[in-house]
Amino acid sequence: MFVRRAAAEDRVVLERLWLMFRHDMSEFQGQLPLPDGGYRSEWLEKVLTGDPDWAGYLFFNGENPIGFCFMRALTQPVRVLNAFFMVRPMRRNRLGLRAVQEVLAHHPGQCDVAFQDNNEKAVRFWQRVATEVSGDVWTREHRTIPSKPDATPDSWISFKV
């Protein structure tokens, strides 16, 4: 497996992986596809248009794309691991952990990541990531979603890289 920074020429690959990611997340967030069959994609556009506060990374197994990670708030004191996806056949073999560690190595400092409590696999995965990266010096808290104050709050894990 190798990880590389995504670029504008990766649009088609990222758009396809993005649809798989958003479809997976719809199970936990209850979001339906848009009328055109896609999902909201403003985060993807920030990565693809070179927004300086965002970075995208692609994961490969040989020549096959197997996932991605988006980081945001790159100019802020606390960076946010904003989106993470690994295709199903590559899950549960520690490749996701390795990919995240490689991405985080490019963004040292304080980092936050959000996930939904009803996504039990994500809960275990992000706790494992935090422990691998920072030992037992990490926290988990619930935060209200600013645009959806009546929604179930997200869980946030904070750790230092």
Side-chain angles (χ1 to χ4, degrees), residues 3 5 12 22 39 45 49 64 67 87 91 94 106 110 132 137 152:
V3 176
R5 184 87 179 246
V12 171
R22 293 306 310 170
Y39 288 90
E45 289 303 317
T49 58
N64 302 100
V87 295
R91 296 178 187 175
R94 299 189 65 86
H106 295 283
Q110 195 64 34
E132 291 283 335
V137 186
T152 302

Side-chain angles (χ1 to χ4, degrees), residues 56-111:
Y57 295 86
L58 279 166
F59 315 144
F60 290 87
N61 182 25
E63 64 182 22
N64 302 100
I66 60 170
F68 68 84
C69 181
F70 294 171
M71 297 289 297
R72 70 173 170 85
L74 300 182
T75 60
Q76 303 300 314
V78 179
R79 287 144 197 80
V80 177
L81 198 152
N82 199 76
F84 177 83
F85 175 74
M86 184 74 69
V87 295
R88 289 181 184 268
M90 302 307 288
R91 296 178 187 175
R92 310 225 206 296
N93 58 13
R94 299 189 65 86
L95 287 180
L97 175 62
R98 284 184 27 217
V100 168
Q101 287 173 315
E102 193 166 329
V103 168
L104 291 174
H106 295 283
H107 304 283
Q110 195 64 34
C111 184

